[in-house]
Amino acid sequence: MNAASTLTARLLAERPRPRGIAGRRYAHWLAVGTVCLGAFLGQLTASVTALVYPALQHRFDAGFAAVEWVALAYLLVLVALLAPIGRLSDLVGRKTVYLGGFAVFGLASLGAGFAGGLGTLVACRAVQAVGGAMMQANSVALVARGVPGHAMRRALGVQAAAQGLGLALGPSLGGLLVAHASWRWVFWINVPVAVVGIVAGWFLLPRTRPEAAPALPRPRPGAAAGPAAVGSRVGPAVGPVVGPEPDGGRFDLAGLLLLGGSTTALLLALSAASGLPLPAWAVAALLAAAALCALALVRQERRATRPILAPGLVNTPGVRPGLAVALIGYLLLFCPLVLGPVLLAEAGLPTARSGLVITVLPAAFAVAATVGGGLLPRGWSDVARCRCGAALAGAGLLGCALLPALGAPAVLLAGPLLVLGGGLGLLLPANNALVMRAIPAECSAVGGGMVNMARSLGTALGTALPVLGVHLAGPAVGGRAVLLALAAVAGLAVLLSRPVRRR
Protein backbone atom coordinates (compact mmCIF):
# COMPACT_ATOMS: atom_id res chain seq x y z
CA MET A 1 0.00 0.00 0.00
CA ASN A 2 1.48 3.35 -1.07
CA ALA A 3 1.50 6.56 0.95
CA ALA A 4 -1.58 7.99 -0.79
CA SER A 5 -3.61 4.84 -0.10
CA THR A 6 -2.48 4.83 3.51
CA LEU A 7 -3.47 8.47 3.98
CA THR A 8 -6.86 7.86 2.34
CA ALA A 9 -7.52 4.86 4.56
CA ARG A 10 -6.69 6.87 7.66
CA LEU A 11 -8.94 9.74 6.60
CA LEU A 12 -11.84 7.37 5.92
CA ALA A 13 -11.34 5.27 9.05
CA GLU A 14 -14.02 5.93 11.64
CA ARG A 15 -12.96 6.45 15.24
CA PRO A 16 -15.06 4.88 17.99
CA ARG A 17 -16.54 6.98 20.75
CA PRO A 18 -14.52 7.30 23.96
CA ARG A 19 -15.38 4.51 26.37
CA GLY A 20 -16.59 6.99 28.95
CA ILE A 21 -19.25 8.16 26.50
CA ALA A 22 -20.11 4.86 24.79
CA GLY A 23 -20.69 3.19 28.16
CA ARG A 24 -23.27 5.67 29.34
CA ARG A 25 -26.87 4.51 29.51
CA TYR A 26 -28.16 7.34 27.34
CA ALA A 27 -25.25 7.46 24.88
CA HIS A 28 -27.65 6.96 21.98
CA TRP A 29 -29.43 10.21 22.86
CA LEU A 30 -26.12 12.06 22.61
CA ALA A 31 -25.78 10.67 19.08
CA VAL A 32 -29.34 11.76 18.29
CA GLY A 33 -28.50 15.25 19.53
CA THR A 34 -25.54 15.41 17.15
CA VAL A 35 -27.73 14.38 14.22
CA CYS A 36 -30.18 17.08 15.28
CA LEU A 37 -27.48 19.71 14.70
CA GLY A 38 -27.34 18.74 11.03
CA ALA A 39 -31.14 18.57 10.80
CA PHE A 40 -31.42 22.03 12.36
CA LEU A 41 -28.76 23.49 10.06
CA GLY A 42 -30.35 22.09 6.89
CA GLN A 43 -33.82 23.44 7.62
CA LEU A 44 -32.50 26.77 8.90
CA THR A 45 -30.80 27.19 5.53
CA ALA A 46 -34.03 26.26 3.73
CA SER A 47 -36.12 28.91 5.50
CA VAL A 48 -33.65 31.75 6.06
CA THR A 49 -32.71 32.51 2.43
CA ALA A 50 -36.12 33.90 1.42
CA LEU A 51 -35.46 36.88 3.71
CA VAL A 52 -32.26 37.67 1.80
CA TYR A 53 -33.79 38.09 -1.65
CA PRO A 54 -34.50 41.86 -1.46
CA ALA A 55 -31.01 42.59 -0.12
CA LEU A 56 -29.43 40.47 -2.87
CA GLN A 57 -31.49 42.18 -5.56
CA HIS A 58 -30.23 45.56 -4.30
CA ARG A 59 -26.61 44.43 -3.84
CA PHE A 60 -26.22 42.70 -7.22
CA ASP A 61 -28.75 44.79 -9.19
CA ALA A 62 -30.56 41.62 -10.26
CA GLY A 63 -34.18 40.65 -10.71
CA PHE A 64 -36.09 38.14 -8.61
CA ALA A 65 -35.88 35.51 -11.38
CA ALA A 66 -32.09 35.60 -11.11
CA VAL A 67 -31.88 35.84 -7.33
CA GLU A 68 -34.15 32.84 -6.77
CA TRP A 69 -31.34 30.64 -8.12
CA VAL A 70 -29.71 31.09 -4.72
CA ALA A 71 -32.39 28.70 -3.46
CA LEU A 72 -32.94 26.74 -6.66
CA ALA A 73 -29.27 25.75 -7.07
CA TYR A 74 -29.20 24.38 -3.53
CA LEU A 75 -32.36 22.31 -4.04
CA LEU A 76 -31.30 20.90 -7.41
CA VAL A 77 -27.91 19.70 -6.18
CA LEU A 78 -29.46 18.33 -3.00
CA VAL A 79 -32.09 16.30 -4.85
CA ALA A 80 -29.53 14.92 -7.31
CA LEU A 81 -26.96 13.84 -4.71
CA LEU A 82 -28.98 12.44 -1.80
CA ALA A 83 -29.40 8.92 -3.19
CA PRO A 84 -25.85 8.45 -4.58
CA ILE A 85 -24.29 9.84 -1.41
CA GLY A 86 -26.46 7.43 0.57
CA ARG A 87 -24.94 4.56 -1.41
CA LEU A 88 -21.44 5.96 -0.99
CA SER A 89 -22.05 6.14 2.75
CA ASP A 90 -22.87 2.43 2.88
CA LEU A 91 -19.42 1.77 1.39
CA VAL A 92 -17.31 4.37 3.22
CA GLY A 93 -19.15 4.74 6.53
CA ARG A 94 -22.03 6.98 7.59
CA LYS A 95 -20.14 8.73 10.35
CA THR A 96 -17.26 9.65 8.03
CA VAL A 97 -19.53 11.07 5.35
CA TYR A 98 -21.73 12.87 7.88
CA LEU A 99 -18.80 14.68 9.50
CA GLY A 100 -17.42 15.50 6.06
CA GLY A 101 -20.77 17.08 5.28
CA PHE A 102 -20.41 19.49 8.18
CA ALA A 103 -16.96 20.50 6.89
CA VAL A 104 -18.10 21.08 3.29
CA PHE A 105 -21.20 22.95 4.43
CA GLY A 106 -19.23 25.22 6.75
CA LEU A 107 -16.56 26.07 4.18
CA ALA A 108 -19.15 26.77 1.47
CA SER A 109 -21.10 29.00 3.88
CA LEU A 110 -17.92 30.95 4.57
CA GLY A 111 -17.36 31.40 0.84
CA ALA A 112 -20.99 32.42 0.25
CA GLY A 113 -20.64 35.21 2.79
CA PHE A 114 -17.58 36.57 0.97
CA ALA A 115 -19.16 36.25 -2.51
CA GLY A 116 -18.57 39.32 -4.66
CA GLY A 117 -21.03 38.42 -7.40
CA LEU A 118 -24.34 36.60 -7.78
CA GLY A 119 -22.74 33.83 -9.86
CA THR A 120 -20.17 33.17 -7.15
CA LEU A 121 -22.91 33.09 -4.50
CA VAL A 122 -24.97 30.60 -6.51
CA ALA A 123 -21.87 28.41 -7.00
CA CYS A 124 -21.15 28.47 -3.24
CA ARG A 125 -24.75 27.50 -2.58
CA ALA A 126 -24.35 24.52 -4.92
CA VAL A 127 -21.24 23.40 -3.00
CA GLN A 128 -23.13 24.01 0.24
CA ALA A 129 -25.78 21.60 -1.03
CA VAL A 130 -23.11 18.91 -1.43
CA GLY A 131 -22.39 19.20 2.29
CA GLY A 132 -26.11 19.29 3.04
CA ALA A 133 -26.62 16.09 1.05
CA MET A 134 -23.77 14.38 2.93
CA MET A 135 -25.55 15.17 6.21
CA GLN A 136 -29.14 14.56 5.15
CA ALA A 137 -28.46 11.28 3.36
CA ASN A 138 -27.21 9.82 6.65
CA SER A 139 -29.32 11.54 9.30
CA VAL A 140 -32.28 9.14 9.31
CA ALA A 141 -29.99 6.08 9.03
CA LEU A 142 -27.79 7.26 11.92
CA VAL A 143 -30.85 7.73 14.12
CA ALA A 144 -32.64 4.55 13.07
CA ARG A 145 -29.59 2.31 13.52
CA GLY A 146 -28.14 4.10 16.53
CA VAL A 147 -31.01 3.85 19.01
CA PRO A 148 -32.87 0.85 20.46
CA GLY A 149 -35.94 -0.21 18.51
CA HIS A 150 -38.39 0.92 21.18
CA ALA A 151 -36.96 4.45 21.05
CA MET A 152 -36.86 4.84 17.25
CA ARG A 153 -40.15 6.70 16.89
CA ARG A 154 -39.29 9.13 19.67
CA ALA A 155 -35.77 9.68 18.30
CA LEU A 156 -37.10 10.38 14.81
CA GLY A 157 -39.60 12.75 16.40
CA VAL A 158 -36.79 14.64 18.13
CA GLN A 159 -34.96 14.89 14.81
CA ALA A 160 -38.10 16.21 13.14
CA ALA A 161 -38.45 18.72 15.97
CA ALA A 162 -34.92 19.98 15.30
CA GLN A 163 -35.89 20.47 11.67
CA GLY A 164 -39.01 22.32 12.74
CA LEU A 165 -36.98 24.55 15.05
CA GLY A 166 -34.65 25.43 12.17
CA LEU A 167 -37.66 26.25 10.01
CA ALA A 168 -39.25 28.36 12.74
CA LEU A 169 -36.09 30.35 13.55
CA GLY A 170 -35.08 30.93 9.92
CA PRO A 171 -37.44 33.80 9.02
CA SER A 172 -37.00 35.74 12.26
CA LEU A 173 -33.22 35.18 12.41
CA GLY A 174 -32.79 36.10 8.74
CA GLY A 175 -34.76 39.29 9.19
CA LEU A 176 -32.70 40.34 12.20
CA LEU A 177 -29.38 39.65 10.47
CA VAL A 178 -30.32 41.48 7.29
CA ALA A 179 -31.73 44.46 9.18
CA HIS A 180 -29.01 44.87 11.82
CA ALA A 181 -25.88 43.29 10.31
CA SER A 182 -25.61 42.22 6.67
CA TRP A 183 -27.01 39.60 4.30
CA ARG A 184 -23.57 37.98 4.47
CA TRP A 185 -24.19 36.95 8.09
CA VAL A 186 -27.10 34.80 6.94
CA PHE A 187 -24.43 32.47 5.55
CA TRP A 188 -21.65 33.09 8.07
CA ILE A 189 -23.94 32.10 10.95
CA ASN A 190 -23.71 28.49 9.68
CA VAL A 191 -19.96 28.28 10.27
CA PRO A 192 -19.91 27.98 14.09
CA VAL A 193 -22.78 25.47 13.99
CA ALA A 194 -20.80 23.35 11.52
CA VAL A 195 -17.71 23.45 13.75
CA VAL A 196 -19.75 22.33 16.77
CA GLY A 197 -21.26 19.53 14.65
CA ILE A 198 -17.83 18.21 13.64
CA VAL A 199 -16.54 18.15 17.22
CA ALA A 200 -19.73 16.64 18.64
CA GLY A 201 -19.94 14.00 15.90
CA TRP A 202 -16.31 12.95 16.38
CA PHE A 203 -16.90 12.15 20.04
CA LEU A 204 -20.62 11.28 20.24
CA LEU A 205 -21.49 9.35 17.07
CA PRO A 206 -20.84 5.60 17.15
CA ARG A 207 -18.66 3.97 14.52
CA THR A 208 -20.76 2.67 11.61
CA ARG A 209 -18.11 0.48 9.96
CA PRO A 210 -15.89 -2.29 11.30
CA GLU A 211 -12.48 -0.94 12.24
CA ALA A 212 -10.56 -3.19 9.85
CA ALA A 213 -12.86 -2.80 6.83
CA PRO A 214 -12.26 0.45 5.00
CA ALA A 215 -13.96 -0.96 1.89
CA LEU A 216 -16.29 -3.80 1.03
CA PRO A 217 -14.37 -6.93 0.04
CA ARG A 218 -14.52 -8.27 -3.51
CA PRO A 219 -15.63 -11.92 -3.43
CA ARG A 220 -13.64 -14.60 -5.26
CA PRO A 221 -15.03 -15.63 -8.63
CA GLY A 222 -17.73 -18.22 -8.12
CA ALA A 223 -18.00 -17.55 -4.41
CA ALA A 224 -21.45 -16.97 -2.98
CA ALA A 225 -22.06 -13.52 -1.59
CA GLY A 226 -24.21 -14.02 1.45
CA PRO A 227 -25.46 -11.52 3.97
CA ALA A 228 -22.12 -11.45 5.75
CA ALA A 229 -20.57 -9.85 2.69
CA VAL A 230 -22.47 -6.62 3.18
CA GLY A 231 -22.41 -6.15 6.91
CA SER A 232 -22.72 -7.89 10.23
CA ARG A 233 -26.34 -6.82 10.71
CA VAL A 234 -28.87 -8.57 8.53
CA GLY A 235 -32.28 -7.05 7.96
CA PRO A 236 -35.54 -8.99 7.79
CA ALA A 237 -36.49 -10.92 4.71
CA VAL A 238 -38.68 -8.45 2.89
CA GLY A 239 -38.60 -9.52 -0.74
CA PRO A 240 -36.14 -9.02 -3.56
CA VAL A 241 -33.94 -6.40 -1.97
CA VAL A 242 -30.22 -6.28 -2.42
CA GLY A 243 -27.82 -4.30 -0.34
CA PRO A 244 -24.65 -2.61 -1.51
CA GLU A 245 -23.11 -4.71 -4.23
CA PRO A 246 -19.90 -6.39 -3.04
CA ASP A 247 -18.74 -6.99 -6.62
CA GLY A 248 -17.10 -3.64 -7.17
CA GLY A 249 -19.75 -2.59 -9.74
CA ARG A 250 -19.29 0.78 -11.35
CA PHE A 251 -20.90 3.86 -9.88
CA ASP A 252 -24.15 4.71 -11.67
CA LEU A 253 -23.04 8.00 -13.23
CA ALA A 254 -25.66 7.77 -15.98
CA GLY A 255 -28.40 7.41 -13.38
CA LEU A 256 -27.09 10.41 -11.46
CA LEU A 257 -27.06 12.58 -14.60
CA LEU A 258 -30.56 11.49 -15.61
CA LEU A 259 -31.90 12.15 -12.10
CA GLY A 260 -30.34 15.60 -12.07
CA GLY A 261 -31.59 16.31 -15.59
CA SER A 262 -35.19 15.33 -14.86
CA THR A 263 -35.45 17.35 -11.64
CA THR A 264 -33.69 20.37 -13.14
CA ALA A 265 -35.94 20.38 -16.21
CA LEU A 266 -39.09 20.03 -14.09
CA LEU A 267 -38.22 22.88 -11.73
CA LEU A 268 -37.09 25.10 -14.60
CA ALA A 269 -40.41 24.43 -16.35
CA LEU A 270 -42.33 25.46 -13.24
CA SER A 271 -40.16 28.57 -12.91
CA ALA A 272 -40.68 29.48 -16.57
CA ALA A 273 -44.44 29.06 -16.19
CA SER A 274 -44.25 31.28 -13.09
CA GLY A 275 -42.68 34.25 -14.85
CA LEU A 276 -39.03 33.37 -15.44
CA PRO A 277 -38.06 35.23 -18.65
CA LEU A 278 -37.66 32.31 -21.07
CA PRO A 279 -39.10 31.77 -24.57
CA ALA A 280 -42.75 30.75 -24.81
CA TRP A 281 -41.88 27.25 -26.01
CA ALA A 282 -39.53 26.63 -23.06
CA VAL A 283 -42.20 25.25 -20.70
CA ALA A 284 -43.32 22.50 -23.11
CA ALA A 285 -39.73 21.68 -24.08
CA LEU A 286 -38.59 21.47 -20.46
CA LEU A 287 -41.54 19.30 -19.43
CA ALA A 288 -40.81 16.97 -22.36
CA ALA A 289 -37.15 16.83 -21.37
CA ALA A 290 -38.11 16.04 -17.76
CA ALA A 291 -40.39 13.19 -18.90
CA LEU A 292 -37.79 11.73 -21.26
CA CYS A 293 -35.08 11.86 -18.59
CA ALA A 294 -37.42 10.21 -16.09
CA LEU A 295 -38.25 7.36 -18.50
CA ALA A 296 -34.57 6.90 -19.33
CA LEU A 297 -33.78 6.90 -15.60
CA VAL A 298 -36.23 4.05 -14.98
CA ARG A 299 -34.62 1.96 -17.73
CA GLN A 300 -31.11 2.80 -16.54
CA GLU A 301 -31.83 1.85 -12.94
CA ARG A 302 -33.21 -1.52 -13.99
CA ARG A 303 -29.99 -2.32 -15.88
CA ALA A 304 -27.37 -0.78 -13.59
CA THR A 305 -25.20 -3.04 -11.46
CA ARG A 306 -25.32 -0.55 -8.61
CA PRO A 307 -28.33 1.74 -9.22
CA ILE A 308 -28.55 4.95 -7.21
CA LEU A 309 -32.29 4.50 -6.68
CA ALA A 310 -32.14 0.73 -6.05
CA PRO A 311 -35.37 -0.52 -7.71
CA GLY A 312 -35.28 -3.63 -5.53
CA LEU A 313 -35.32 -1.43 -2.45
CA VAL A 314 -38.14 0.75 -3.80
CA ASN A 315 -40.20 -2.39 -4.46
CA THR A 316 -39.83 -3.57 -0.88
CA PRO A 317 -43.28 -3.66 0.74
CA GLY A 318 -43.94 -0.37 2.51
CA VAL A 319 -41.07 1.62 0.99
CA ARG A 320 -42.70 3.08 -2.13
CA PRO A 321 -45.84 4.47 -0.41
CA GLY A 322 -43.65 5.66 2.47
CA LEU A 323 -41.45 7.66 0.10
CA ALA A 324 -44.57 9.15 -1.51
CA VAL A 325 -45.92 10.20 1.91
CA ALA A 326 -42.54 11.75 2.81
CA LEU A 327 -42.69 13.84 -0.39
CA ILE A 328 -46.30 14.83 0.30
CA GLY A 329 -45.52 15.81 3.89
CA TYR A 330 -42.85 18.32 2.92
CA LEU A 331 -44.97 19.59 0.03
CA LEU A 332 -47.72 20.34 2.55
CA LEU A 333 -45.22 21.99 4.89
CA PHE A 334 -43.41 24.29 2.47
CA CYS A 335 -46.34 25.43 0.30
CA PRO A 336 -47.97 27.38 3.17
CA LEU A 337 -44.58 28.74 4.27
CA VAL A 338 -44.13 30.28 0.81
CA LEU A 339 -47.79 31.17 0.17
CA GLY A 340 -48.70 32.40 3.65
CA PRO A 341 -46.78 35.71 3.57
CA VAL A 342 -48.31 36.53 0.17
CA LEU A 343 -51.87 35.93 1.41
CA LEU A 344 -51.31 37.85 4.63
CA ALA A 345 -49.76 40.79 2.79
CA GLU A 346 -52.76 40.78 0.42
CA ALA A 347 -55.01 40.97 3.49
CA GLY A 348 -53.09 44.03 4.74
CA LEU A 349 -51.32 42.43 7.71
CA PRO A 350 -47.98 44.10 8.57
CA THR A 351 -44.83 42.12 7.82
CA ALA A 352 -43.86 41.67 11.48
CA ARG A 353 -47.26 40.25 12.41
CA SER A 354 -47.28 38.10 9.29
CA GLY A 355 -44.01 36.53 10.42
CA LEU A 356 -45.50 35.69 13.81
CA VAL A 357 -48.57 34.08 12.21
CA ILE A 358 -46.49 31.97 9.81
CA THR A 359 -44.16 30.86 12.62
CA VAL A 360 -47.12 28.98 14.15
CA LEU A 361 -46.82 26.32 11.42
CA PRO A 362 -43.22 25.15 11.97
CA ALA A 363 -43.52 25.68 15.72
CA ALA A 364 -46.57 23.39 15.91
CA PHE A 365 -44.76 20.91 13.69
CA ALA A 366 -41.78 20.84 16.05
CA VAL A 367 -43.90 20.42 19.20
CA ALA A 368 -46.12 17.71 17.71
CA ALA A 369 -43.13 15.80 16.35
CA THR A 370 -41.59 15.73 19.82
CA VAL A 371 -44.50 15.15 22.21
CA GLY A 372 -47.60 14.85 20.03
CA GLY A 373 -47.37 11.09 19.78
CA GLY A 374 -47.73 10.81 23.56
CA LEU A 375 -51.15 12.46 23.36
CA LEU A 376 -52.50 9.71 21.09
CA PRO A 377 -53.77 6.36 22.41
CA ARG A 378 -50.80 4.19 23.36
CA GLY A 379 -52.07 1.25 21.34
CA TRP A 380 -52.13 3.13 18.05
CA SER A 381 -49.79 1.80 15.38
CA ASP A 382 -47.59 4.00 13.22
CA VAL A 383 -50.08 3.55 10.39
CA ALA A 384 -52.88 4.93 12.55
CA ARG A 385 -50.68 7.87 13.57
CA CYS A 386 -49.91 8.59 9.90
CA ARG A 387 -53.59 8.58 8.98
CA CYS A 388 -54.51 10.83 11.90
CA GLY A 389 -51.73 13.28 11.08
CA ALA A 390 -52.62 13.42 7.37
CA ALA A 391 -56.30 13.98 8.16
CA LEU A 392 -55.45 16.84 10.54
CA ALA A 393 -53.17 18.37 7.90
CA GLY A 394 -55.99 18.22 5.35
CA ALA A 395 -58.37 19.89 7.79
CA GLY A 396 -55.85 22.65 8.47
CA LEU A 397 -55.38 23.30 4.76
CA LEU A 398 -59.14 23.51 4.22
CA GLY A 399 -59.30 26.04 7.03
CA CYS A 400 -56.51 28.10 5.44
CA ALA A 401 -58.40 28.10 2.12
CA LEU A 402 -61.86 28.92 3.52
CA LEU A 403 -61.16 31.49 6.24
CA PRO A 404 -60.16 34.34 3.86
CA ALA A 405 -63.18 33.58 1.65
CA LEU A 406 -65.45 33.97 4.70
CA GLY A 407 -64.00 37.40 5.44
CA ALA A 408 -62.35 36.35 8.73
CA PRO A 409 -59.50 38.51 10.10
CA ALA A 410 -56.16 37.46 8.63
CA VAL A 411 -54.64 36.81 12.04
CA LEU A 412 -57.10 33.94 12.56
CA LEU A 413 -55.13 32.01 9.94
CA ALA A 414 -52.91 30.99 12.84
CA GLY A 415 -55.61 28.52 13.92
CA PRO A 416 -55.64 26.28 10.84
CA LEU A 417 -51.85 26.64 10.55
CA LEU A 418 -51.63 25.25 14.09
CA VAL A 419 -53.74 22.24 13.07
CA LEU A 420 -51.70 21.76 9.89
CA GLY A 421 -48.37 21.86 11.71
CA GLY A 422 -49.61 19.52 14.43
CA GLY A 423 -50.85 17.02 11.86
CA LEU A 424 -47.57 17.03 9.95
CA GLY A 425 -45.69 16.59 13.24
CA LEU A 426 -47.64 13.37 13.81
CA LEU A 427 -47.43 12.17 10.21
CA LEU A 428 -43.76 12.49 9.29
CA PRO A 429 -42.01 10.80 12.28
CA ALA A 430 -44.42 7.84 12.14
CA ASN A 431 -43.95 7.52 8.38
CA ASN A 432 -40.16 7.68 8.73
CA ALA A 433 -40.31 4.88 11.30
CA LEU A 434 -42.41 2.74 8.94
CA VAL A 435 -40.02 3.25 6.03
CA MET A 436 -36.82 2.63 7.97
CA ARG A 437 -38.31 -0.44 9.62
CA ALA A 438 -39.02 -1.90 6.17
CA ILE A 439 -35.49 -1.28 4.88
CA PRO A 440 -32.78 -3.90 5.63
CA ALA A 441 -30.00 -2.71 7.92
CA GLU A 442 -27.27 -3.05 5.29
CA CYS A 443 -29.19 -0.66 3.01
CA SER A 444 -30.04 1.87 5.70
CA ALA A 445 -27.95 4.76 4.36
CA VAL A 446 -29.27 4.27 0.81
CA GLY A 447 -32.80 4.12 2.20
CA GLY A 448 -32.21 7.17 4.36
CA GLY A 449 -30.89 9.02 1.33
CA MET A 450 -34.02 8.12 -0.64
CA VAL A 451 -36.25 9.35 2.20
CA ASN A 452 -34.37 12.64 2.26
CA MET A 453 -34.49 12.87 -1.54
CA ALA A 454 -38.29 12.55 -1.33
CA ARG A 455 -38.30 15.29 1.31
CA SER A 456 -36.19 17.56 -0.89
CA LEU A 457 -38.43 16.99 -3.90
CA GLY A 458 -41.41 17.88 -1.73
CA THR A 459 -39.59 21.01 -0.55
CA ALA A 460 -38.74 22.03 -4.12
CA LEU A 461 -42.29 21.50 -5.35
CA GLY A 462 -43.64 23.25 -2.27
CA THR A 463 -41.50 26.26 -3.16
CA ALA A 464 -42.42 26.33 -6.87
CA LEU A 465 -46.15 25.52 -6.91
CA PRO A 466 -47.38 28.50 -4.84
CA VAL A 467 -45.49 30.89 -7.12
CA LEU A 468 -47.13 29.24 -10.13
CA GLY A 469 -50.62 29.51 -8.62
CA VAL A 470 -50.22 33.16 -7.68
CA HIS A 471 -48.73 34.00 -11.08
CA LEU A 472 -51.60 32.37 -12.99
CA ALA A 473 -54.60 33.53 -10.94
CA GLY A 474 -53.45 36.13 -8.43
CA PRO A 475 -52.91 35.84 -4.67
CA ALA A 476 -56.54 35.38 -3.60
CA VAL A 477 -57.88 32.99 -6.25
CA GLY A 478 -54.60 31.26 -7.05
CA GLY A 479 -53.65 30.88 -3.40
CA ARG A 480 -57.05 29.38 -2.53
CA ALA A 481 -56.81 26.94 -5.45
CA VAL A 482 -53.35 25.78 -4.31
CA LEU A 483 -54.56 25.24 -0.72
CA LEU A 484 -57.61 23.26 -1.84
CA ALA A 485 -55.42 21.10 -4.07
CA LEU A 486 -53.08 20.48 -1.14
CA ALA A 487 -56.03 19.39 1.02
CA ALA A 488 -56.83 16.76 -1.61
CA VAL A 489 -53.19 15.65 -1.61
CA ALA A 490 -53.40 15.24 2.19
CA GLY A 491 -56.33 12.87 1.58
CA LEU A 492 -54.08 10.88 -0.74
CA ALA A 493 -51.56 10.56 2.10
CA VAL A 494 -54.31 9.03 4.26
CA LEU A 495 -54.94 6.39 1.58
CA LEU A 496 -51.22 5.66 1.09
CA SER A 497 -50.69 5.04 4.82
CA ARG A 498 -51.56 1.38 5.16
CA PRO A 499 -50.16 -1.73 6.83
CA VAL A 500 -47.30 -3.51 5.04
CA ARG A 501 -48.15 -6.89 3.58
CA ARG A 502 -45.10 -9.15 3.55
CA ARG A 503 -44.63 -11.26 0.46
Side-chain angles (χ1 to χ4, degrees), residues 332-357:
L332 302 185
L333 179 61
F334 272 85
C335 263
L337 285 175
V338 175
L339 186 59
V342 177
L343 298 179
L344 293 173
E346 183 75 6
L349 202 65
T351 303
R353 296 182 66 187
S354 297
L356 292 176
V357 172

Side-chain angles (χ1 to χ4, degrees), residues 75-112:
L75 290 172
L76 288 173
V77 174
L78 193 69
V79 169
L81 291 186
L82 279 171
I85 285 181
R87 182 167 291 281
L88 174 67
S89 301
D90 277 330
L91 300 175
V92 175
R94 298 170 210 131
K95 178 176 179 178
T96 296
V97 176
Y98 189 76
L99 295 184
F102 272 119
V104 173
F105 195 95
L107 290 173
S109 298
L110 190 65

Side-chain angles (χ1 to χ4, degrees), residues 20-21 25 54 76 112 133 192 196 243 266 275 301 312 318 321 330 355-356 376 380 387 399 453 475 500:
I21 294 176
R25 181 180 178 184
L76 288 173
V196 172
L266 176 60
E301 297 307 275
Y330 275 78
L356 292 176
L376 298 176
W380 276 22
R387 290 174 174 172
M453 185 178 68
V500 176

Side-chain angles (χ1 to χ4, degrees), residues 67-330:
V67 169
E68 71 174 351
W69 278 90
V70 173
L72 192 58
Y74 185 91
L75 290 172
L76 288 173
V77 174
L78 193 69
V79 169
L81 291 186
L82 279 171
I85 285 181
R87 182 167 291 281
L88 174 67
S89 301
D90 277 330
L91 300 175
V92 175
R94 298 170 210 131
K95 178 176 179 178
T96 296
V97 176
Y98 189 76
L99 295 184
F102 272 119
V104 173
F105 195 95
L107 290 173
S109 298
L110 190 65
F114 283 111
L118 185 58
T120 303
L121 178 58
V122 170
C124 288
R125 284 283 287 169
V127 177
Q128 193 181 49
V130 176
M134 293 170 71
M135 291 187 288
Q136 288 192 35
N138 291 283
S139 60
V140 174
L142 285 170
V143 171
R145 305 307 176 188
V147 302
H150 64 84
M152 183 189 301
R153 184 194 301 142
R154 185 180 176 191
L156 291 172
V158 171
Q159 183 204 15
Q163 294 173 327
L165 181 61
L167 284 174
L169 288 181
S172 56
L173 180 60
L176 287 173
L177 291 173
V178 171
H180 300 289
S182 165
W183 64 266
R184 300 181 185 276
W185 280 100
V186 171
F187 302 103
W188 285 339
I189 196 67
N190 297 326
V191 176
V193 181
V195 172
V196 172
I198 293 173
V199 175
W202 183 270
F203 290 102
L204 302 180
L205 287 178
R207 190 169 54 200
T208 60
R209 287 187 55 78
E211 187 172 9
L216 289 175
R218 184 190 301 266
R220 295 187 304 272
V230 294
S232 58
R233 295 183 61 188
V234 180
V238 290
V241 177
V242 292
E245 298 282 350
D247 61 357
R250 293 185 302 172
F251 178 75
D252 186 16
L253 179 60
L256 175 61
L257 294 177
L258 289 170
L259 175 62
S262 61
T263 53
T264 300
L266 176 60
L267 292 177
L268 277 175
L270 292 175
S271 297
S274 303
L276 193 68
L278 292 175
W281 50 264
V283 176
L286 287 167
L287 287 176
L292 290 175
C293 286
L295 291 175
L297 176 63
V298 172
R299 293 189 62 184
Q300 168 64 22
E301 297 307 275
R302 288 174 176 172
R303 296 181 309 190
T305 304
R306 185 173 290 168
I308 59 174
L309 294 181
L313 192 60
V314 174
N315 292 329
T316 302
V319 173
R320 183 180 298 174
L323 294 176
V325 171
L327 185 151
I328 289 172
Y330 275 78

